[in-house]
Amino acid sequence: MPLVPMRTILEASLEAYKKEAPFAIGAYNVNNMEQMQGIMRAAKETQSPVIIQASRGALKYAEMNYLRHIMLAAIELNPEIPIAMHLDHGNNLDTVKKAISLSFSSVMIDGSLMEDGKTPSSYEYNVRITKEVVEYAHSFGVTVEGELGTLGGIEDGVGSGKIHLTDPQQALDFVNKTRVDALAIAIGTSHGAYKFKHEPKLAFDVIEKTRKLLPETFLVSHGSSSVPQDLIDVINKHGGNMQHTMGVPLESLKRAISLGINKINVDTDTRLAATAAIRKFFSETPEKFDPREYLGPARDAIYEVIRKRMIEFDTEGHIKDVKVMTLEDMKKFYK
Ligand code: G3H
Ligand code: 13P
Ligand code: ZN
């Protein structure tokens, strides 16, 4: 099965929602080999379909081709797992074209922000750029995710820092005009580790209303790391200095899934897991110097956190529900 269009994976989640047995697919960010290996170990062990996604920052950090081949290696080594290779927060058509030329089976165009990835855009701009990307990507059978509304959080370089919840009626108009496959909706979540000072209340009504108006569109929740307190504690115990913070509670994510969210983006939690493991290793064994000795535990910690998410999002065991489809099949579907 290996590399599949993201649509085929999300279809399994949408079908399950319709049958009142909802589950979501985690979309996990990758920058390097250890992250990729940790994620795939979790997917294999839990028999979960998975979306592996690379941001522009990740592609730049890894000089594109290194990351491309790490992702392709994951696909080659795990032929039984349906995997979508997704561009996270694409900012213009050129970035999308580049990703498709690198074999990505899915792209996000985040037209809620201007090309700088920071300045909120107008609705008209968002419709125009998203429509343009959909026309291009669909001609290759590639899935497209758009975004409407803005998230909080800026420290990872994506976002304006202001939460602007999605208007469900506008979401209906947006999907009708652009024909995006998946839509990231702003429900009060936020990118990065410093999301909230107190337990957040998500806008569940936005999910409910959007799901009713758009029964065939895959709904996406970004900024959905839970920022586990135990990881923050390990980091701080071993020389870190992270301030008080809270993430999105797992209970809230479960409720979001029950109301129709299909894709959940997680990046920060794997960063925290890796940092906690490495800090602990350095403080407990200061005489060691071989990177394999600390990147190994970091990889194990990433595996552990992703395994938990796959179980909590109920992705576990759903490999069998993904229909085998190729980009060629999808080209015909879009025509
Ligand atoms: O939503 C943004 C992701 O967490 C990617 O972050 O641009 O630092 O790779 P990055
Ligand atoms: P987190 O920062 O909450 O992990 O969100 C990641 C994300 O939305 C990637 O697009
Ligand atoms: Zn995001």
Side-chain angles (χ1 to χ4, degrees):
M1 175 135 37
L3 176 62
V4 295
M6 187 169 76
R7 175 171 259 280
T8 67
I9 292 186
L10 293 178
E11 199 70 60
S13 164
L14 190 58
E15 283 305 307
Y17 170 78
K18 289 180 187 167
K19 289 181 186 144
E20 295 179 12
F23 72 91
I25 313 284
Y28 305 104
N29 285 72
V30 283
N31 295 276
N32 60 44
M33 184 186 77
E34 283 76 11
Q35 250 173 336
M36 191 71 267
Q37 291 173 323
I39 294 164
M40 291 319 301
R41 184 176 156 205
K44 197 175 177 134
E45 198 174 298
T46 63
Q47 293 289 291
S48 299
V50 68
I51 297 163
I52 50 176
Q53 57 187 14
S55 67
R56 280 182 294 136
L59 289 167
K60 190 169 168 216
Y61 170 78
E63 298 174 43
M64 286 193 203
N65 251 332
Y66 283 108
L67 191 51
R68 168 178 194 255
H69 285 283
I70 286 170
M71 292 169 107
L72 292 176
I75 291 159
E76 198 179 308
L77 291 169
N78 295 279
E80 78 283 17
I81 301 174
I83 305 173
M85 207 170 143
H86 178 70
L87 169 71
D88 191 27
H89 291 283
N91 64 330
N92 60 29
L93 187 59
D94 283 347
T95 312
V96 163
K97 284 185 178 173
K98 185 77 210 170
I100 293 175
S101 76
L102 290 171
S103 336
F104 281 66
S105 62
S106 178
V107 292
M108 175 183 190
I109 175 70
D110 182 356
S112 71
L113 301 168
M114 299 301 289
E115 278 190 38
D116 65 4
K118 290 177 175 54
T119 314
S121 65
S122 68
Y123 180 64
E124 291 68 32
Y125 169 86
N126 196 353
V127 169
R128 194 172 62 245
I129 182 92
T130 306
K131 198 163 175 255
E132 206 179 1
V133 165
V134 168
E135 274 162 20
Y136 183 81
H138 281 185
S139 72
F140 293 88
V142 166
T143 311
V144 180
E145 174 184 336
E147 176 160 337
L148 193 60
T150 55
L151 276 70
I154 45 169
E155 83 263 24
D156 60 4
V158 178
S160 66
K162 295 241 165 17
I163 294 181
H164 182 81
L165 298 182
T166 303
D167 169 355
Q169 280 296 339
Q170 197 178 50
L172 173 63
D173 184 64
F174 185 78
V175 172
N176 283 340
K177 285 185 171 140
T178 61
R179 314 310 303 169
V180 273
D181 304 271
L183 184 66
I185 52 174
I187 51 172
T189 61
S190 177
H191 283 124
Y194 295 104
K195 299 185 192 302
F196 315 108
K197 291 250 182 290
H198 310 284
E199 187 155 322
K201 285 198 172 36
L202 298 191
F204 295 111
D205 59 315
V206 171
I207 307 175
E208 270 178 302
K209 287 179 194 153
T210 313
R211 179 41 74 226
K212 273 211 185 81
L213 291 168
L214 289 169
E216 301 302 329
T217 304
F218 311 117
L219 298 182
V220 184
S221 178
H222 279 242
S224 295
S225 277
S226 297
V227 190
Q229 186 58 45
D230 58 329
L231 294 179
I232 303 279
D233 290 344
V234 174
I235 290 172
N236 286 342
K237 185 174 167 208
H238 296 284
N241 184 18
M242 291 197 67
Q243 306 303 306
H244 169 72
T245 178
M246 289 189 83
V248 183
L250 288 166
E251 282 315 310
S252 301
L253 292 174
K254 284 178 190 281
R255 178 140 180 237
I257 295 169
S258 76
L259 296 174
I261 288 288
N262 307 107
K263 171 177 181 267
I264 300 186
N265 283 21
V266 173
D267 184 353
T268 298
D269 283 351
T270 63
R271 297 179 182 194
L272 293 171
T275 299
I278 291 172
R279 277 201 177 278
K280 184 168 185 289
F281 178 89
F282 281 154
S283 88
E284 287 177 353
T285 49
E287 73 285 4
K288 303 260 187 178
F289 60 90
D290 183 341
R292 290 171 297 187
E293 291 190 75
Y294 54 85
L295 293 177
R299 180 171 58 188
D300 292 344
I302 290 165
Y303 148 77
E304 193 51 47
V305 80
I306 299 296
R307 188 183 68 85
K308 283 186 191 152
R309 296 296 172 271
M310 287 172 169
I311 292 168
E312 282 143 357
F313 300 164
D314 265 326
T315 333
E316 188 177 25
H318 282 292
I319 280 181
K320 59 184 183 337
D321 301 323
V322 177
K323 287 195 196 91
V324 185
M325 280 191 130
T326 62
L327 290 175
E328 283 305 313
D329 297 329
M330 292 316 301
K331 266 197 218 174
K332 287 182 204 135
F333 168 84
Y334 290 128
K335 268 189 189 148

